[in-house]
Amino acid sequence: KDEDRYGKLEELLEKCFSLVKMPSIQPVVMCVMKHLPKVPEKKLKLVMADKELYKACAIEVKRQIWQDNQALYGDEVSPLLKQYIMEKENILFSSDVSVRHNFFSLTPKTRRQGEVVQK
């Protein structure tokens, strides 16, 4: 049953991918790719080659791209890591004792809720 469902999604992707540049169709194409467990390699390469499409695609699709292109993953994650480290350094080196106390007492669950970590 899953194979049938994914087969239909792949068919839909084949039919509508050529129209991905149309603003009204693009969300449909992106949604179809998001729900496919394995987007066809050819489509991933086309998305990767177009900066606007790459920006518009869901994280699930980007993960598939990153599996074969770790440099792109690094480009995506590096600014977030820098921002996270900078925020932590600002807290750690803060002159406000209560803020510094929070640095060491945050639970992992609370840390995971941070804006940068969520991205």
Side-chain angles (χ1 to χ4, degrees):
K1 185 171 179 167
D2 275 351
E3 289 175 17
D4 185 40
R5 180 175 57 158
Y6 294 134
K8 288 179 182 178
L9 283 175
E10 285 177 4
E11 278 179 43
L12 182 59
L13 183 63
E14 280 301 319
K15 290 176 183 174
C16 66
F17 192 84
S18 60
L19 305 172
V20 73
K21 290 290 194 174
M22 289 180 61
S24 58
I25 304 291
Q26 191 175 50
V28 174
V29 176
M30 294 302 169
C31 187
V32 169
M33 287 196 309
K34 175 183 175 178
H35 288 91
L36 277 173
K38 184 75 179 113
V39 176
E41 191 68 31
K42 192 171 136 188
K43 305 292 187 243
L44 288 177
K45 287 189 188 316
L46 291 169
V47 168
M48 193 170 56
D50 187 314
K51 286 195 187 312
E52 292 304 312
L53 285 181
Y54 178 76
K55 276 185 182 177
C57 72
I59 195 79
E60 291 84 354
V61 178
K62 287 181 180 178
R63 282 185 190 131
Q64 292 182 42
I65 291 171
W66 296 336
Q67 286 176 345
D68 295 327
N69 193 324
Q70 293 183 351
L72 208 52
Y73 175 73
D75 293 346
E76 186 92 12
V77 173
S78 183
L80 295 173
L81 286 174
K82 285 178 184 168
Q83 182 182 350
Y84 181 80
I85 290 168
M86 200 164 67
E87 287 176 7
K88 292 299 175 188
E89 284 177 343
N90 288 340
I91 292 170
L92 187 59
F93 300 127
S94 170
S95 59
D96 185 350
V97 176
S98 65
V99 172
R100 209 169 338 134
H101 175 70
N102 282 341
F103 181 84
F104 295 106
S105 64
L106 288 175
T107 64
K109 183 178 180 180
T110 307
R111 280 195 303 270
R112 284 192 297 266
Q113 302 306 314
E115 182 185 344
V116 176
V117 177
Q118 291 291 314
K119 288 180 186 178

